[in-house]
């Protein structure tokens, strides 16, 4: 029986503690009913506005960087200037060389023509001097020249 009494006593203590907890809970519920909670979003709005300001700042920085990169890309060239100059020289040099040698060949033809005319004149002068020294040789030459002026082609 002693154990039953101890058990009853323990159970009575537990019930008293449970009853105290229930009373505290009822008091808190009444207090909770009296407390009015306001839906205040000013703190959230403040943080959102701060975030949007930071985003605008970052976006403007990114736009400036993109504009700077676009300017660099537009101002850059596909080929370096020295390569373009070398290409132009490579294209113009053969033209100048061909022109120079063409001019030299044209001048050489003029020199050949002049030399031919001088040689022809020299032969005429030589024959003239020869015929002046040997007047008897001119008549046979004249006959020979008229006879051989048209040379037949042997086939």
């Amino acid at each position: 029986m002693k154990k039953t009494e101890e058990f009853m006593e323990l159970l009575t203590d537990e019930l008293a503690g449970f009853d105290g907890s229930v009373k505290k809970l009822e008091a808190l519920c009444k207090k909770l009913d009296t407390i009015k909670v306001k839906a205040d979003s000013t703190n959230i709005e403040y943080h959102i506005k701060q975030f949007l300001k930071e985003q605008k700042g970052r976006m403007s920085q990114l736009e400036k960087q993109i504009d700077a990169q676009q300017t660099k890309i537009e101002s850059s060239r596909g080929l370096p200037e020295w390569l373009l100059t070398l290409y132009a020289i490579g294209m113009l040099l053969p033209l100048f060389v061909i022109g120079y040698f063409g001019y030299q060949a044209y001048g050489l033809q003029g020199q050949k023509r002049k030399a031919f005319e001088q040689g022809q004149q020299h032969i005429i002068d030589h024959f003239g001097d020869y015929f002046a020294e040997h007047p008897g040789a001119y008549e046979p030459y004249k006959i020979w020249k008229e006879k051989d002026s048209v040379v037949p082609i042997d086939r």
Side-chain angles (χ1 to χ4, degrees), residues 35-135:
I35 294 176
K36 293 185 179 177
V37 177
K38 294 180 184 177
D40 188 17
S41 63
T42 56
N43 194 15
I44 294 171
E45 288 175 4
Y46 171 76
H47 287 295
I48 289 174
K49 286 180 182 177
Q50 283 297 109
F51 176 74
L52 290 176
K53 283 181 185 178
E54 289 175 10
Q55 286 298 100
K56 281 184 183 179
R58 289 178 184 162
M59 287 299 289
S60 66
Q61 286 177 347
L62 286 175
E63 287 175 1
K64 287 177 185 177
Q65 289 176 353
I66 288 171
D67 289 341
Q69 293 300 323
Q70 283 180 341
T71 305
K72 287 180 182 178
I73 289 170
E74 288 171 359
S75 66
S76 70
R77 296 182 188 209
L79 298 171
E81 284 185 30
W82 64 267
L83 188 60
L84 291 174
T85 305
L86 187 65
Y87 180 74
I89 289 171
M91 286 293 154
L92 292 176
L93 187 64
L95 291 175
F96 286 132
V97 168
I98 289 170
Y100 175 75
F101 285 124
Y103 177 74
Q104 290 296 322
Y106 178 75
L108 189 60
Q109 280 184 343
Q111 287 176 350
K112 284 180 180 180
R113 185 184 323 264
K114 199 183 245 186
F116 176 75
E117 289 172 359
Q118 286 175 351
Q120 193 176 27
Q121 187 63 40
H122 178 69
I123 295 293
I124 290 171
D125 291 344
H126 177 68
F127 279 134
D129 291 342
Y130 178 78
F131 290 133
E133 289 177 12
H134 304 92

Side-chain angles (χ1 to χ4, degrees), residues 130-145:
Y130 178 78
F131 290 133
E133 289 177 12
H134 304 92
Y138 184 66
E139 284 302 318
Y141 170 73
K142 203 171 166 186
I143 294 169
W144 173 78
K145 187 175 179 190

